[in-house]
Amino acid sequence: MSPISAQTFMVVGVLRDDTDLAEFAALRNDEEKQLELLRSAGRIGAHYVSPARRATFVEVIADDEKQVAETLATLPFARFFDADVYPTTPPDAAEIAHRARATTA
């Protein structure tokens, strides 16, 4: 998979009501480290959090939804969220150019 031209997926995760918030908070550093590793490997793009909605939005760069699930499974927070995966349109020329610059910077 070339992260420059690969398919992207937007994952919307909603925090489960039965989440142990102390356990969740204890894993924050591990989650941030893993996100950085995935980012540097070209498997994660944008990542946003909406605390008010108890939701997270993660751009996953993958060949297919199976690979998205494999990527998400490496995140310590994954077990706390119900996730919906949305395939996005293939990257256009401007996005491909942006990704190429980002990987060489």
Side-chain angles (χ1 to χ4, degrees), residues 24-43:
F24 183 83
L27 291 172
R28 183 170 307 283
N29 287 337
D30 293 339
E31 177 79 1
E32 289 173 5
K33 288 177 187 174
Q34 183 62 14
L35 282 168
E36 189 53 42
L37 285 172
L38 292 169
R39 233 182 248 109
S40 65
R43 295 172 59 191

Side-chain angles (χ1 to χ4, degrees), residues 26-96:
L27 291 172
R28 183 170 307 283
N29 287 337
D30 293 339
E31 177 79 1
E32 289 173 5
K33 288 177 187 174
Q34 183 62 14
L35 282 168
E36 189 53 42
L37 285 172
L38 292 169
R39 233 182 248 109
S40 65
R43 295 172 59 191
I44 293 283
H47 175 242
Y48 302 99
V49 177
S50 174
R53 296 289 177 107
R54 299 171 51 106
T56 187
F57 306 87
V58 181
E59 178 187 36
V60 178
I61 302 162
D63 290 329
D64 54 34
E65 289 191 37
K66 180 180 182 237
Q67 197 172 55
V68 171
E70 291 168 357
T71 296
L72 293 175
T74 70
L75 293 169
F77 282 180
R79 68 178 181 259
F80 301 113
F81 287 90
D82 291 320
D84 286 319
V85 177
Y86 299 90
T88 60
T89 58
D92 61 16
E95 178 63 17
I96 290 172

